[in-house]
Amino acid sequence: MSDFALGDAAANIHVYVEKAPPVEELWGETPSQGTFRALNQGEIKAIGDISGNGWRKVFNVYAKWLMAFDTSSPYRPKNAATWQAFRDTALLQSGSHTALHVGHWSVEQLAASGGIHVIAGRTHANKLGLSEQCIWLDNEFARHPTLPVVICPYFDYRQLSNIKINVLTKLVDAL
């Protein structure tokens, strides 16, 4: 599997997941190792159509989380009235300030250059070698002691419910 990122190369919000969405079915290839590729409008829906509910949930939770920030927050999208509108018109597109990193990135190295870095899933955080470096606030959420890195449940409604989205939002606001 290749390690690549979907979204804005100038992102300030980075989410890390282990497995990639089926982009090769859309593009005929997997992005090159270590590269960013911005999605085009309609590609989130196309990925959901190809893969079913799993990736649809990831994108929905990502958009819901960003829209949960206060309107004055630098992390809240300014160009959409609802999370659905943001998901459909901007999420992971050029200029969105959002990225989805797939695979085994050096989160510490990327986090040292700024932005917010969220690892979706404790298992993935373990594989990235960050779980033991973080301060666990409870069984599901952790934060790095010196870097803008948070570990949270996987971006799925059952694991990251609306209540837990609010917890994640407060953790990021506190960084």
Side-chain angles (χ1 to χ4, degrees):
M1 172 176 73
S2 183
D3 300 333
F4 63 90
L6 300 175
D8 187 351
N12 65 354
I13 299 171
H14 305 265
V15 174
Y16 298 82
V17 296
E18 184 174 8
K19 295 184 179 163
V23 293
E24 65 280 349
E25 292 183 43
L26 266 183
W27 303 327
E29 64 183 11
T30 300
S32 301
Q33 180 79 15
T35 62
F36 270 83
R37 179 158 178 180
L39 294 180
N40 294 311
Q41 198 160 335
E43 288 186 322
I44 281 182
K45 182 182 180 327
I47 291 168
D49 290 346
I50 292 167
S51 65
N53 227 12
W55 278 102
R56 214 174 278 122
K57 289 177 185 177
V58 171
F59 298 135
N60 288 350
V61 169
Y62 199 156
K64 283 179 86 171
W65 167 53
L66 295 178
M67 293 302 283
F69 283 98
D70 187 81
T71 54
S72 63
S73 172
Y75 307 116
R76 184 183 170 107
K78 308 292 186 231
N79 56 352
T82 65
W83 67 264
Q84 295 95 333
F86 177 71
R87 176 201 61 206
D88 295 343
T89 62
L91 182 65
L92 303 177
Q93 295 179 36
S94 183
S96 69
H97 305 291
T98 59
L100 182 71
H101 297 262
V102 175
H104 297 90
W105 289 77
S106 174
V107 178
E108 290 172 294
Q109 185 177 357
L110 291 171
S113 63
I116 298 297
H117 300 264
V118 176
I119 302 166
R122 187 176 191 145
T123 302
H124 190 45
N126 283 332
K127 290 180 181 177
L128 293 173
L130 284 168
S131 188
E132 290 132 13
Q133 296 176 36
C134 290
I135 299 162
W136 285 91
L137 308 171
D138 60 25
N139 215 17
E140 299 176 301
F141 292 92
R143 64 176 172 75
H144 195 280
T146 60
L147 295 172
V149 175
V150 173
I151 300 169
C152 72
Y154 188 72
F155 277 31
D156 177 285
Y157 300 135
R158 288 168 283 160
Q159 295 180 50
L160 196 61
S161 64
N162 288 342
I163 291 169
K164 291 178 185 176
I165 285 173
N166 290 335
V167 171
L168 177 58
T169 302
K170 287 180 178 135
L171 276 173
V172 168
D173 275 337
L175 293 176

